[in-house]
Amino acid sequence: MSLLYVCHYSEIGLKGRNQHFFIRALMNNIRRSLRHNLSINQITLRLNNKRVFLRIEDNVSSKEVNAVLNRIFGLAYFSKIIITDWNMENVLKEAVKLHASKSFDTFAIRTRRANKTFPYLSEEVNRKVGKAVQDAYNKKVKLKNPDIICFIEILDNEIYLYNERSEGPGGLPVGINGNVLVLISGGIDSPVASYFAMKRGARCHFIHFHSFPFTTKNSQDKVQDLITVLSKYQFRGRTFFIPFADAQQKIVLNSPEKYRIILFRRFMMRIAEKLAKKLNISALVTGESLGQVSSQTLENIRAIEEVTSLPILRPLIGLDKNEIIKIARKIGTYTISKLPHDDACTRFMPENPVIHSNLSDIRMAEKNLDIESIVQEQFESIEKIDINL
Ligand code: ATP
Ligand code: MG
């Protein structure tokens, strides 16, 4: 049995001469995502009248397909459809069939003609189809708030009908806005930040710093699980684990306690930047939200970002924790994030971390550290995992 869908794209409609490129990316992502998530191979995609038509020949349910399409950035909405030839008789027949399995008392027909040469006006189609459905099932037409609406779209050489429309996630197809490196911590925020970066078309690669053997391995397992969930929204990405314990020990032994967290973060930034430059990635992403914790005051954010020349994207900067949690639940990362783990930084959390640091104090605090060699050593110990779907 084949399933047919029509997919409407969102903002890519605005991209002028680059439209073609955006639509190709969207179609590739739809194909890849269905293959990866449902092992579907029999997929045909085509473009007609600014809509993407999808035909699936494999044996899957529309519920499963909906769940996948729901995670494809760039889709505004999508519907399971019936396609028919360009004549009124077929429209009447298919419209009656479409209502056969539905339970309803009142209904309405809404027709749109992209091709105005169809021999009936939209209103006439509404009336004729309305009458056919009424006669077949003895139900009432109700234009305001009917139980069910049948949409009919008349294109250049085909007509399609549907009565359920699902919202897509919006945004832009992953990959069209290049690559970013996300500093991912195993907490609640950074997976949500990754989601927003992907939503704007950036492909995410991930770097995680762990304190093994000071901590257990479970922060790495958590990050791995989080990335598995996030990969449902994109299809290729690399993950880099950095054993950070040696660097942390050097920082702990050679700098004032209250600056420790900021120094940890400055080293994370330096290492992330070096890796990003090697991979030709032009921005970093963090899950920081202004004022959420002591390392996220304006002064401390400034002190942390001083060490990198790359732009740092902070998609969550204006979100409250409750808002972030709500999104984490929606995208499926919350239950993993909230499992307990030993964090690379909380392990060494000072009693009184500095809240409003100033740059010269921070630079002074680093003067006994051989920054270059620490970064180099860390860089050489990177462990890499590819997710290539
Ligand atoms: P999260 O919930 O993402 O852990 P948080 O509220 O715990 O965030 P912080 O611990 O201050 O906030 O971390 C701020 C940001 O720094 C994180 O969102 C993440 O981008 C980065 N970060 C923190 N710890 C790590 C780590 N061990 N490895 C990689 N990045 C990290
Ligand atoms: Mg954290």
Side-chain angles (χ1 to χ4, degrees):
M1 199 192 80
S2 59
L3 287 173
L4 295 170
Y5 279 85
V6 65
C7 305
H8 288 243
Y9 38 82
S10 48
E11 237 178 284
I12 40 178
L14 306 174
K15 298 288 175 194
R17 282 186 303 149
N18 284 335
Q19 249 196 34
H20 187 68
F21 167 65
F22 284 75
I23 294 165
R24 282 281 139 225
L26 177 64
M27 289 166 77
N28 281 338
N29 287 356
I30 293 173
R31 181 178 291 110
R32 270 197 182 141
S33 194
L34 287 166
R35 268 198 199 139
H36 161 54
N37 290 294
L38 298 178
S39 311
I40 299 177
N41 286 311
Q42 307 274 38
I43 300 165
T44 322
L45 284 154
R46 67 187 167 87
L47 193 64
N48 186 7
N49 282 73
K50 300 195 171 181
R51 295 145 172 92
V52 174
F53 287 86
L54 164 66
R55 177 186 289 270
I56 299 169
E57 303 289 351
D58 287 62
N59 197 11
V60 284
S61 71
S62 55
K63 202 171 157 204
E64 289 172 301
V65 174
N66 286 4
V68 171
L69 294 179
N70 236 309
R71 290 192 294 253
I72 297 182
F73 292 120
L75 285 183
Y77 50 91
F78 57 89
S79 310
K80 189 167 149 255
I81 56 169
I82 293 173
I83 295 187
T84 183
D85 292 340
W86 214 71
N87 67 60
M88 194 61 178
E89 250 168 56
N90 282 339
V91 174
L92 293 171
K93 205 170 71 198
E94 294 300 340
V96 170
K97 254 206 278 182
L98 187 66
H99 289 80
S101 60
K102 311 280 176 204
S103 99
F104 63 101
D105 291 321
T106 58
F107 73 99
I109 310 294
R110 307 245 158 99
T111 303
R112 262 190 19 193
R113 296 188 313 166
N115 183 341
K116 306 283 185 209
T117 65
F118 191 68
Y120 298 90
L121 297 174
S122 301
E123 264 316 301
E124 289 172 319
V125 179
N126 289 345
R127 268 201 304 275
K128 280 181 180 292
V129 176
K131 175 141 190 349
V133 174
Q134 206 167 20
D135 292 349
Y137 303 105
N138 197 19
K139 306 286 182 190
K140 274 204 201 91
V141 172
K142 187 173 172 225
L143 297 183
K144 264 195 190 162
N145 294 326
D147 295 338
I148 194 168
I149 301 176
C150 168
F151 296 92
I152 300 174
E153 303 256 346
I154 299 171
L155 305 185
D156 286 342
N157 43 19
E158 61 195 349
I159 298 174
Y160 67 89
L161 304 88
Y162 61 94
N163 48 21
E164 273 168 41
R165 194 157 109 161
S166 309
E167 295 250 325
L172 300 168
V174 172
I176 59 157
N177 272 331
N179 294 279
V180 295
L181 185 61
V182 182
L183 285 90
I184 188 163
S185 75
I188 294 165
D189 304 329
S190 34
V192 177
S194 315
Y195 170 84
F196 280 124
M198 292 189 278
K199 185 172 180 205
R200 297 307 300 167
R203 181 178 308 291
C204 289
H205 304 278
F206 301 93
I207 181 168
H208 174 68
F209 296 84
H210 65 82
S211 304
F212 186 78
F214 293 150
T215 58
T216 58
K217 277 233 185 266
N218 78 351
S219 83
Q220 291 166 77
D221 295 342
K222 266 183 85 173
V223 167
Q224 192 71 66
D225 291 347
L226 287 167
I227 291 170
T228 304
V229 172
L230 292 167
S231 336
K232 291 183 178 171
Y233 297 87
Q234 61 169 26
F235 324 98
R236 248 174 332 116
R238 292 165 150 191
T239 304
F240 301 88
F241 285 109
I242 316 282
F244 198 45
D246 283 352
Q248 283 182 297
Q249 215 162 17
K250 287 187 180 127
I251 295 166
V252 168
L253 294 175
N254 296 295
S255 67
E257 186 182 319
K258 64 177 177 174
Y259 297 124
R260 211 180 262 171
I261 298 294
I262 295 176
L263 298 200
F264 288 168
R265 291 288 148 79
R266 278 163 71 96
F267 275 91
M268 287 185 187
M269 284 296 165
R270 290 179 175 115
I271 297 155
E273 173 179 278
K274 199 171 163 76
L275 177 63
K277 287 189 169 160
K278 189 176 165 208
L279 299 172
N280 218 1
I281 290 176
S282 47
L284 304 177
V285 174
T286 72
E288 290 161 309
S289 155
L290 189 58
Q292 193 194 75
V293 288
S294 71
S295 59
Q296 293 169 23
T297 61
L298 276 184
E299 293 85 353
N300 291 352
I301 284 179
R302 182 170 179 221
I304 292 166
E305 80 170 18
E306 187 199 29
V307 299
T308 171
S309 60
L310 287 178
I312 301 176
L313 310 182
R314 300 180 178 89
L316 310 186
I317 201 71
L319 271 67
D320 295 343
K321 196 77 190 187
N322 282 341
E323 294 171 307
I324 299 170
I325 288 175
K326 212 162 131 190
I327 300 161
R329 283 187 201 278
K330 189 183 87 178
I331 66 176
T333 54
Y334 183 72
T335 46
I336 304 169
S337 292
K338 78 177 199 336
L339 296 170
H341 75 279
D342 298 323
D343 181 271
C345 290
T346 43
R347 179 79 177 74
F348 296 99
M349 193 70 179
E351 281 210 351
N352 293 304
V354 63
I355 293 174
H356 303 288
S357 60
N358 85 49
L359 287 179
S360 54
D361 291 346
I362 295 288
R363 289 181 201 136
M364 272 297 282
E366 273 182 344
K367 76 174 185 335
N368 293 329
L369 293 162
D370 183 348
I371 296 172
E372 291 257 308
S373 75
I374 295 176
V375 171
Q376 189 55 34
E377 274 167 34
Q378 288 279 289
F379 198 67
E380 281 162 14
S381 61
I382 289 181
E383 302 149 2
K384 189 182 93 175
I385 297 168
D386 273 346
I387 298 183
N388 231 332
L389 306 167

